[in-house]
Amino acid sequence: MAFQSLPGFRDFFPAEHAARRHIQSAWRGTAERYAFEEYDGPPLEPLELYIEKSGQEIVDQLYAFEDKGGRQVALRPEMTPTLARMVGEHGRALPKPIRWFSMPQLFRYERAQRGRLREHFQWNVDVIGEPDITADVEVLSVALDGLTALGLGPADVVARVNDRRLLESLLLGAGVPRDRLGGAYAAIDKMSREDAERTKQRLREDAGLGPDVVDAVLALFAEDLAGLRSIHGGDAAVAAEVDRLESYFTLLDEMGWSRHVEFDPRIVRGLAYYTGTVFEIFDRKGELRAICGGGRYDDLLSAVSDLQLPAVGFGMGDVVLGELLRERGLLPTSAPSPDYYVVTITEGERPLLRRLARALRGEGRSVSYTLRQVGVGKQFKDANARGASEVIVLGPDEVTAGVAVVRTMKDGTERRVELTELGA
Amino acid sequence: MAFQSLPGFRDFFPAEHAARRHIQSAWRGTAERYAFEEYDGPPLEPLELYIEKSGQEIVDQLYAFEDKGGRQVALRPEMTPTLARMVGEHGRALPKPIRWFSMPQLFRYERAQRGRLREHFQWNVDVIGEPDITADVEVLSVALDGLTALGLGPADVVARVNDRRLLESLLLGAGVPRDRLGGAYAAIDKMSREDAERTKQRLREDAGLGPDVVDAVLALFAEDLAGLRSIHGGDAAVAAEVDRLESYFTLLDEMGWSRHVEFDPRIVRGLAYYTGTVFEIFDRKGELRAICGGGRYDDLLSAVSDLQLPAVGFGMGDVVLGELLRERGLLPTSAPSPDYYVVTITEGERPLLRRLARALRGEGRSVSYTLRQVGVGKQFKDANARGASEVIVLGPDEVTAGVAVVRTMKDGTERRVELTELGA
């Protein structure tokens, strides 16, 4: 009886695992250079945790079930609720701001489509307890440095940046009633993927705005930050938000990201909980879905815990990022290869092989060999198949003389090495 | 509203995560020195995969549920069925033997008891496609080297080793009917935790053996390997199995493990699928449950795939191992600390701070700082709280002179360093 994996779930054979690990090592290494600390939570959480944050409709997208103890539980679809729960529990005692990262596997029950998975790994980086824009800068800087570590520069990726507070003040200034902001956000969120007529229709019909207001709203998106300031800067709320966003860009520039970052007032982010800066990182050609999304969410912690702390963070998944890296030839395509492969001419060298392997491994080198004595040709063939860098040949004559022949596989050169030098 | 995690699931705050990662790094590093390749599968699998291997009764111990597509699914309780499924799918094309490892999180719905978790991480190492005893040696050697890498030597841990084939031939020789072997195994499996009377009772009542056979069975456990050979070596089946197990010990000795390994005919392993050598690793004092268990399972692959390949492997969990390491003071108790903490005397040095942080991080160093300008005392306090090794102080005078003061926190010594030397 042959079994298959569930649809939407990946098997990581060694080559695919090497690619996943390459990405995760870059993520971890980058977060640690920024002195973020790694945490993790359970993949299974109380369902209520997600309903509290995202509403009852989230249940349709979850792997949710009742466990044997009668608890409603769900496989985690995102990390932020777990983060908020954990910070709520122990956050009072921690130095602020909290600088944490995680790389959880997340789960969604999405309709299976081509390339749509039901699980992915996501790099989560958050600063909790700092309301200042410098925290927003730090977080975006980590995301961009993570991509840099993977070989992606400003010609490959771009961060599109906005601020929900700026957008709100602009929309209010354009005549959008406060109770229709949600509808307007939803239409704006889709602008970059739809034509102007469709956006107009959404603003009129879905958001319920009159034709003059719709025109005023659409005119906002023709301007850059300087343009918005010169046209709408008389509105003190708008001016304050333009100031803040400009200082955000200045600080990002000082961190070296001026070529990576662009203002884009259409960036809204679907999730309801963002309260300030928002950003999405895309491949520069715009062929793929967003690689990363994040922003400020100052109200979430108080919703799922007893703590009220401002927060800013992002999530970067491994799937779209993996597609881009693979396309660029920036991912390993096989598992790491052994440093040494030991070949024995006769069974008599097998005890020495075992001692030698132990010694080399004790020095941190990786060592492979056939487990049983087989023909020398077969051993070399296996050394090749496994991609060994060097082959150490042990034969009766050499062993008597206390030496081994070491062949470098990429150029076939051979040298004689004292066994004592190899540690045996 | 404050939420809690589900019972039996761990939150990994940074200190706990550092301990988990310390263990997993040792596991991974060791497996790679033995040239094993890392793989992973989905945490959610078709329920049938586990029923096929372990029978319908396993369902009671699983997180099993019906997904929205009407599929019966389960959170993985162990890795071997996934391994067998994956090897069954692509194993034909791979060089043999397959040398793979994984470090999955596994899930069981056990009655919640003190210290009993419903999830744990488990190091799985397997050699697939090699029937020879050298594969069994390789696998146990990896397990012992993994413990060595964590600081545990022969005074701390011991591997108790047996062979199901030897036990079978001994039991048949003692008069146990073939159809009562299962009952006898179950009684023997419990011998080391129960008194002699209870074992006798089990052999009589549960296994249904007559008093003479019970005595003959119990007498087996008074002997070491040499004793078994001298008493039962006339039985060719027993002699062959003693030979094999002796060569197993000889090879382990050549790998350097003579002080770590002991013959123990009571080791059976609960799981029904073992077909050859079996072993369990315990803390030497015998205070904890088994740290690791494994052995040969030559029939499993054909049960869940179209391939028939011999296999040997082990699973080592992080919970009991973690207890032992913690008791020995061999686990980190906090997250990694930053290499540098940058302190600015005035707001004016903040742009330099950002450039300097970027430069140091570009060289792979970890750097922290307060995100906003605050009092210098507060910055030093934070540097202490986060455990920074060195503090770089940037002040207006020093900056004008192109230097910074670098303080080594552990002894309070200070030195002046050129800014260019720091990369800024």
Side-chain angles (χ1 to χ4, degrees):
Chain A
M1 172 149 193
F3 286 91
Q4 294 199 312
S5 58
L6 293 169
F9 284 83
R10 290 172 290 177
D11 282 334
F12 293 90
F13 286 85
E16 288 99 51
H17 199 282
R20 164 178 148 192
R21 192 169 150 202
H22 179 77
I23 291 173
Q24 291 183 322
S25 295
W27 286 351
R28 173 178 280 149
T30 302
E32 293 195 335
R33 285 185 288 121
Y34 280 76
F36 281 71
E37 297 181 344
E38 191 167 0
Y39 72 98
D40 194 10
L44 202 66
E45 288 271 20
L47 177 59
E48 274 294 321
L49 183 64
Y50 304 110
I51 295 177
E52 182 71 23
K53 186 194 147 199
S54 306
Q56 190 66 38
E57 61 277 14
I58 188 80
V59 179
D60 293 338
Q61 301 165 39
L62 299 187
Y63 276 95
F65 62 100
E66 184 176 297
D67 77 7
K68 287 172 183 159
R71 294 175 203 87
Q72 298 298 320
V73 299
L75 286 172
R76 60 186 172 198
E78 52 167 326
M79 198 60 180
T80 313
T82 296
L83 170 68
R85 179 179 63 67
M86 289 174 65
V87 168
E89 196 175 338
H90 286 309
R92 258 176 248 282
L94 299 170
K96 307 290 177 314
I98 294 164
R99 301 164 70 101
W100 279 7
F101 79 101
S102 193
M103 306 192 296
Q105 190 171 18
L106 305 177
F107 306 88
R108 294 235 173 193
Y109 196 88
E110 298 201 66
R111 209 178 301 271
Q113 296 171 31
R114 183 204 284 262
R116 275 280 178 176
L117 294 173
R118 288 176 172 165
E119 52 76 23
H120 73 293
F121 288 89
Q122 192 184 70
W123 187 27
N124 280 253
V125 177
D126 294 88
V127 170
I128 296 174
E130 176 53 70
D132 194 71
I133 193 77
T134 48
D136 308 62
V137 170
E138 189 83 348
V139 156
L140 179 50
S141 187
V142 174
L144 292 169
D145 239 340
L147 296 173
T148 305
L150 287 163
L152 297 171
D156 306 301
V157 291
V158 58
R160 302 196 192 286
V161 169
N162 194 18
D163 194 310
R164 293 276 280 255
R165 292 163 293 197
L166 172 65
L167 191 58
E168 179 184 298
S169 64
L170 287 168
L171 291 175
L172 292 173
V176 177
R178 188 170 284 279
D179 63 358
R180 297 193 181 165
L181 283 172
Y185 287 154
I188 293 162
D189 184 45
K190 298 188 179 71
M191 276 181 80
S192 51
R193 297 185 298 278
E194 295 181 344
D195 65 29
E197 275 315 302
R198 185 82 186 87
T199 303
K200 258 189 180 165
Q201 190 189 0
R202 283 191 190 278
L203 288 169
R204 274 199 312 263
E205 295 172 14
D206 303 353
L209 305 179
D212 292 355
V213 176
V214 168
D215 288 344
V217 167
L218 288 176
L220 296 171
F221 298 95
E223 303 298 331
D224 61 12
L225 260 190
L228 290 173
R229 181 194 291 282
S230 82
I231 300 170
H232 305 284
D235 179 337
V238 171
E241 293 307 331
V242 171
D243 283 349
R244 172 151 45 192
L245 210 44
E246 281 186 342
S247 81
Y248 183 58
F249 281 104
T250 302
L251 297 176
L252 285 167
D253 189 13
E254 287 171 8
M255 301 286 277
W257 305 118
S258 58
R259 293 163 60 222
H260 291 72
V261 183
E262 290 177 2
F263 171 62
D264 186 341
R266 297 167 303 178
I267 299 294
V268 175
R269 303 282 299 142
L271 291 165
Y273 65 80
Y274 288 107
T275 58
T277 57
V278 281
F279 71 87
E280 293 184 346
I281 302 179
F282 292 92
D283 65 299
R284 188 62 88 163
K285 288 188 201 155
E287 291 170 346
L288 306 171
R289 283 170 291 138
I291 294 167
C292 176
R296 178 167 284 281
Y297 55 99
D298 285 349
D299 299 335
L300 180 64
L301 253 85
S302 57
V304 300
S305 79
D306 300 328
L307 276 182
Q308 175 119 31
L309 285 172
V312 53
F314 69 79
M316 182 187 295
D318 69 333
V319 178
V320 178
L321 176 58
E323 289 172 36
L324 181 60
L325 291 170
R326 199 164 293 112
E327 191 184 276
R328 293 282 197 286
L330 292 170
L331 279 187
T333 56
S334 63
S337 299
D339 299 319
Y340 292 109
Y341 194 100
V342 187
V343 165
T344 51
I345 307 292
T346 75
E347 180 78 33
E349 293 85 58
R350 285 269 140 182
L352 174 60
L353 174 150
R354 284 184 275 274
R355 286 202 306 276
L356 179 61
R358 180 176 163 81
L360 290 169
R361 286 167 179 157
E363 290 163 16
R365 316 306 295 266
S366 62
V367 184
S368 195
Y369 38 71
T370 58
L371 290 166
R372 271 179 301 121
Q373 180 65 16
V374 296
V376 172
K378 208 167 170 186
Q379 292 181 61
F380 266 100
K381 200 176 152 197
D382 191 48
N384 257 320
R386 297 182 193 264
S389 305
E390 298 200 294
V391 171
I392 301 174
V393 183
L394 303 176
D397 297 347
E398 290 84 356
V399 170
T400 308
V403 296
V405 174
V406 178
R407 180 187 293 186
T408 302
M409 294 301 273
K410 72 165 187 291
D411 58 13
T413 56
E414 293 190 346
R415 62 187 199 282
R416 290 167 72 84
V417 178
E418 302 278 331
L419 284 174
T420 52
E421 198 181 310
L422 292 169
Chain B
M1 174 149 191
F3 288 92
Q4 295 199 310
S5 59
L6 294 169
F9 285 83
R10 289 172 292 177
D11 283 334
F12 292 90
F13 287 85
E16 288 100 51
H17 199 282
R20 164 179 148 191
R21 192 169 149 203
H22 179 76
I23 291 172
Q24 290 183 323
S25 295
W27 286 350
R28 173 178 279 148
T30 302
E32 294 194 334
R33 286 184 289 119
Y34 280 77
F36 280 70
E37 295 181 341
E38 191 167 1
Y39 72 97
D40 194 11
L44 202 66
E45 289 272 18
L47 178 59
E48 274 295 322
L49 183 62
Y50 304 110
I51 295 177
E52 181 71 23
K53 186 193 148 203
S54 306
Q56 188 67 39
E57 61 276 15
I58 187 80
V59 178
D60 292 340
Q61 302 166 37
L62 299 186
Y63 276 97
F65 61 100
E66 183 176 298
D67 78 6
K68 286 171 184 162
R71 293 175 204 88
Q72 298 297 321
V73 299
L75 287 171
R76 58 185 173 199
E78 52 166 327
M79 199 59 180
T80 313
T82 296
L83 170 68
R85 179 180 63 66
M86 289 173 66
V87 168
E89 197 176 337
H90 285 310
R92 259 176 246 283
L94 299 170
K96 306 293 176 314
I98 295 165
R99 301 164 70 99
W100 278 7
F101 78 100
S102 192
M103 305 191 295
Q105 191 171 19
L106 304 176
F107 306 88
R108 294 234 173 193
Y109 195 88
E110 299 200 65
R111 208 177 303 271
Q113 296 171 29
R114 181 205 284 261
R116 275 279 178 177
L117 295 172
R118 288 176 173 165
E119 52 77 22
H120 72 293
F121 288 89
Q122 191 183 71
W123 188 27
N124 280 254
V125 176
D126 294 89
V127 170
I128 296 174
E130 176 53 70
D132 194 71
I133 193 74
T134 47
D136 308 62
V137 170
E138 190 84 348
V139 157
L140 179 51
S141 187
V142 174
L144 291 170
D145 238 341
L147 296 173
T148 305
L150 288 163
L152 296 172
D156 307 301
V157 291
V158 59
R160 303 196 192 284
V161 168
N162 194 16
D163 193 311
R164 293 276 280 255
R165 292 163 294 195
L166 172 64
L167 191 58
E168 181 184 299
S169 63
L170 287 169
L171 292 175
L172 292 173
V176 176
R178 187 170 284 280
D179 62 357
R180 296 192 180 165
L181 283 172
Y185 288 154
I188 294 162
D189 186 44
K190 298 188 179 71
M191 274 180 81
S192 52
R193 298 186 295 280
E194 294 181 345
D195 64 30
E197 275 314 302
R198 186 84 185 88
T199 303
K200 258 190 181 166
Q201 189 190 1
R202 283 191 189 279
L203 288 169
R204 274 198 313 264
E205 295 172 14
D206 303 353
L209 305 179
D212 292 355
V213 175
V214 168
D215 288 344
V217 167
L218 289 176
L220 297 170
F221 299 95
E223 303 299 330
D224 60 12
L225 260 191
L228 289 174
R229 181 195 291 282
S230 81
I231 300 171
H232 305 283
D235 180 337
V238 171
E241 293 305 333
V242 171
D243 283 350
R244 173 153 41 196
L245 209 45
E246 280 186 344
S247 82
Y248 183 58
F249 281 104
T250 301
L251 297 176
L252 284 167
D253 188 13
E254 286 172 10
M255 302 286 277
W257 304 118
S258 57
R259 292 163 60 220
H260 291 72
V261 183
E262 291 176 3
F263 171 61
D264 187 341
R266 297 168 303 178
I267 299 295
V268 175
R269 304 282 300 141
L271 290 164
Y273 65 81
Y274 288 106
T275 58
T277 57
V278 281
F279 70 87
E280 294 185 345
I281 302 179
F282 292 91
D283 65 298
R284 188 62 87 164
K285 289 188 203 156
E287 291 171 347
L288 307 170
R289 283 170 292 139
I291 293 166
C292 176
R296 179 167 283 281
Y297 55 99
D298 285 348
D299 299 334
L300 181 64
L301 253 86
S302 57
V304 301
S305 79
D306 300 328
L307 275 183
Q308 175 120 32
L309 284 172
V312 53
F314 70 78
M316 182 187 295
D318 70 332
V319 177
V320 178
L321 175 59
E323 287 172 37
L324 181 59
L325 291 169
R326 198 165 295 111
E327 189 185 278
R328 292 282 197 286
L330 292 170
L331 281 185
T333 55
S334 65
S337 298
D339 299 319
Y340 292 109
Y341 195 101
V342 187
V343 165
T344 52
I345 307 291
T346 77
E347 181 79 34
E349 293 85 58
R350 285 268 140 183
L352 174 60
L353 174 150
R354 284 183 275 275
R355 287 201 305 278
L356 180 60
R358 180 177 164 81
L360 290 169
R361 286 168 179 157
E363 291 164 15
R365 315 306 294 266
S366 62
V367 184
S368 194
Y369 38 72
T370 59
L371 290 165
R372 270 179 302 120
Q373 181 64 18
V374 296
V376 171
K378 207 167 169 185
Q379 292 181 61
F380 267 99
K381 200 176 152 198
D382 192 48
N384 258 320
R386 295 180 195 266
S389 304
E390 299 201 294
V391 171
I392 301 174
V393 184
L394 304 175
D397 297 347
E398 290 84 356
V399 170
T400 308
V403 296
V405 174
V406 179
R407 180 187 295 186
T408 303
M409 295 300 274
K410 72 166 188 288
D411 58 12
T413 57
E414 294 190 346
R415 62 189 199 279
R416 289 168 72 85
V417 177
E418 302 279 329
L419 285 173
T420 51
E421 199 182 310
L422 293 169

